[in-house]
Amino acid sequence: MQLLITLVAALLSHHVEPKHQARPNVVLILCDDLGAHDLGCTGSTVIKTPHIDALRAQGMLFTQAYSSGCVCAPSRCALLTGRSLAHAQIRDNQEVANADDGTYGGQRALTAGTETIARSLQRAGYATACFGKWGLGGPGDATGHPLSQGFDRFYGFLCQRNAHNHYAAYIESDREKIVLDGNSRGVTGAQFVPDLCANEAVQWIASKAPSDAPFFVYFATNLPHLALQAPEEAVAKYLLDEVAYEGKKGYLACPKPHATYAAMVTKIDEAVGRIVRAVTDAGDLEHTIFFFTSDNGAPWELGGFDPAFFGSNKGLRGSKNSLWEGGLRVPFIASWKGHVPFASACEEPVVGYDLVPTILSMTGTRSDAVVDGVSLARVILGEAPCESLALRPPLVWENPSGAGQQAVRDGRWKLVRVQAKSVERARFELYDLGVDPLEAMDVARANPEVLARLVKVFESRTPSEVTEWNYAPIASIDAR
């Protein structure tokens, strides 16, 4: 079995030479808290997403796709470095205090010289830009800034907390703080920041049109993360049953929470449409690969958000901030006009940290980065069957928040370690997702060999230098 896994891993990491003489551009679109079923092409009957649906129609939809983590910062770290959370630098949201002038402090920073996908592409001659939410450093730590991690251009939120209001009072442009006139972090304001980020992305893409150099855009929108806010004209497009949300626990009130959430997702779709149009206008559509996904599953009923109304997680167990399926399952689309089989689909499990080896392969970029993901390039391009992913190495997640969770998926099997920080209370739960996708029946006792095999995956993790991101030693399996 180990030999088979090694051979399959070698096949999936096979270097794919670009079909054009010029290396393709890459646009990576990452949403914030978007549920797996919040798009028209993934089953929503409420929310309108025609531009994203069009990307899906001319590309591949991965129907069992997972985020790299269940909350923002670690998921983004894994996405950009290709390391699972068993080995990644950032494994939870670790906040940095605000400055005396109120500037948001950011989160724990990536270390200097981290081999991000942006750095690899930049070294290979790509122009690189990040627009939207960063969350892997702050203004007080230059090493974690996007411009220090492989990006030529940054416009957006360094700190995730600043991104929690879509009418933020300021934004960062490269290393400059830009005050947004008419915005005061209220319920509404003069400038809807997600639109500003889309504007900047479109302008930057247009500015690259005269150049022969390829580009990489990381468009990390902060939508549809709470608070529930959208321009009035966007909300007015939806006439839905409503109960006004009065605002609790620090969240803003919202008179039309259903219509507002739907409008926020549609605003993502509008941004996608504008970016695709900018690429098309530059004459680069057939030379540009698009990836679309989310940083984690949809949240629970919070801040006026109603996941049951939208079917965001479609009955899956758990939500954001958990390693159950509802916290990890996300939309995942790969689209490259003329290269990806039309309206194709893959049902094998894939994960966000697969994108680094995939992008490296599809762009013909060499990198010394150590990655845990596998390249999906040959599957996406129709050069290998989806089933070739069946013997990939296991998918691994960690969530040190609270009592701690660890999880691993290998084929049909998923093992979850709960209460993982406690020697006395830690236990394993094993699920056969092939027959039990809702994780309702623990079958650990009936499958001791599978349990023992997957536990070994947990034991191979790299301890974190952050003490609270580690777990209790694994006791005897028989005792658990």
Side-chain angles (χ1 to χ4, degrees):
M1 175 61 76
Q2 184 58 47
L3 177 60
L4 282 174
I5 291 176
T6 301
L7 290 172
V8 171
L11 172 67
L12 294 173
S13 61
H14 174 71
H15 181 71
V16 177
E17 290 295 335
K19 295 183 178 179
H20 292 286
Q21 185 175 2
R23 289 167 296 169
N25 308 311
V26 179
V27 177
L28 171 54
I29 300 165
L30 182 70
C31 301
D32 197 354
D33 290 4
L34 182 70
H37 303 284
D38 281 338
L39 307 172
C41 59
T42 60
S44 178
T45 59
V46 178
I47 304 175
K48 302 176 181 67
T49 55
H51 298 103
I52 299 169
D53 297 348
L55 274 186
R56 185 271 173 274
Q58 62 184 22
M60 177 173 286
L61 174 67
F62 290 87
T63 60
Q64 290 198 73
Y66 290 86
S67 56
S68 301
C70 65
V71 291
C72 300
S75 185
R76 292 156 197 270
C77 174
L79 179 84
L80 292 174
T81 63
R83 301 307 313 267
S84 81
L85 294 189
H87 306 290
Q89 292 180 36
I90 309 297
R91 305 191 193 186
D92 200 2
N93 290 327
Q94 188 178 77
E95 305 298 332
V96 176
N98 294 348
D100 291 340
D101 66 357
T103 299
Y104 284 93
Q107 287 69 41
R108 184 180 181 89
L110 291 174
T111 59
T114 297
E115 188 67 10
T116 64
I117 183 60
R119 190 184 304 281
S120 298
L121 293 173
Q122 185 185 58
R123 188 186 302 117
Y126 274 71
T128 58
C130 171
F131 303 97
K133 176 174 165 179
W134 179 241
L136 298 172
D141 188 336
T143 64
H145 195 284
L147 299 188
S148 301
Q149 293 294 340
F151 289 99
D152 303 318
R153 173 74 173 120
F154 172 69
Y155 183 93
F157 304 96
L158 286 177
C159 180
Q160 295 174 162
R161 301 191 303 280
N162 191 23
H164 291 173
N165 188 295
H166 301 294
Y167 293 97
Y170 73 89
I171 200 89
E172 283 97 357
S173 179
D174 292 334
R175 298 187 188 274
E176 182 181 1
K177 180 178 177 180
I178 306 295
V179 174
L180 299 177
D181 293 338
N183 284 14
S184 60
R185 297 187 66 81
V187 173
T188 187
Q191 303 185 66
F192 188 62
V193 179
D195 281 351
L196 301 183
C197 293
N199 294 345
E200 291 291 330
V202 166
Q203 292 171 17
W204 189 84
I205 290 169
S207 75
K208 301 304 168 187
S211 172
D212 292 331
F215 62 77
F216 169 59
V217 171
Y218 172 47
F219 185 74
T221 180
N222 59 326
L223 293 172
H225 194 294
L226 298 171
L228 290 176
Q229 296 170 294
E232 288 185 10
E233 63 273 16
V235 176
K237 295 178 181 178
Y238 287 95
L239 300 176
L240 304 173
D241 293 336
E242 302 283 6
V243 176
Y245 176 67
E246 297 178 354
K248 299 175 182 178
K249 297 182 179 180
Y251 290 99
L252 296 174
C254 181
K256 297 179 179 179
H258 289 161
T260 301
Y261 182 78
M264 292 165 76
V265 178
T266 294
K267 291 298 290 184
I268 299 172
D269 185 75
E270 290 179 5
V272 170
R274 294 182 62 201
I275 290 170
V276 172
R277 187 162 56 251
V279 170
T280 302
D281 290 346
D284 279 337
L285 185 61
E286 294 182 357
H287 299 271
T288 302
I289 308 164
F290 294 88
F291 295 99
F292 180 96
T293 190
S294 180
D295 63 347
N296 45 251
W300 58 98
E301 190 171 316
L302 177 74
F305 173 55
D306 187 352
F309 178 84
F310 291 103
S312 300
N313 289 335
K314 279 260 175 93
L316 296 174
R317 182 177 179 181
S319 57
K320 175 183 177 178
N321 201 25
S322 80
L323 298 186
W324 307 115
E325 292 289 280
L328 295 169
R329 292 287 290 274
V330 292
F332 191 124
I333 298 167
S335 184
W336 186 5
K337 186 177 181 181
H339 297 265
V340 181
F342 187 79
S344 53
C346 178
E347 297 181 356
E348 294 293 335
V350 298
V351 65
Y353 58 79
D354 288 335
L355 278 171
V356 167
T358 300
I359 292 171
L360 291 174
S361 181
M362 295 181 80
T363 59
T365 300
R366 305 293 183 181
S367 174
D368 294 329
V370 177
V371 299
D372 299 310
V374 300
S375 173
L376 310 176
R378 300 190 72 238
V379 172
I380 291 170
L381 296 174
E383 298 172 357
C386 178
E387 291 75 17
S388 64
L389 294 169
L391 289 177
R392 63 165 296 154
L395 285 63
V396 184
W397 302 273
E398 295 189 354
N399 179 21
S401 178
Q405 278 185 307
Q406 296 170 279
V408 56
R409 177 166 181 182
D410 190 16
R412 63 193 287 182
W413 301 103
K414 182 178 176 185
L415 182 64
V416 183
R417 189 185 186 207
V418 298
Q419 304 279 343
K421 291 184 177 181
S422 170
V423 174
E424 296 79 15
R425 295 189 297 276
R427 69 181 189 278
F428 297 106
E429 298 182 14
L430 180 68
Y431 298 94
D432 181 352
L433 298 182
V435 297
D436 181 23
L438 303 185
E439 299 170 297
M441 182 178 298
D442 178 7
V443 295
R445 290 187 180 277
N447 296 275
E449 293 182 358
V450 176
L451 176 61
R453 174 167 57 85
L454 296 185
V455 165
K456 290 182 180 179
V457 178
F458 291 147
E459 294 174 338
S460 67
R461 73 184 295 271
T462 302
S464 173
E465 64 180 33
V466 180
T467 301
E468 57 267 32
W469 292 353
N470 293 312
Y471 304 90
I474 295 176
S476 167
I477 295 175
D478 293 336
R480 298 299 170 196

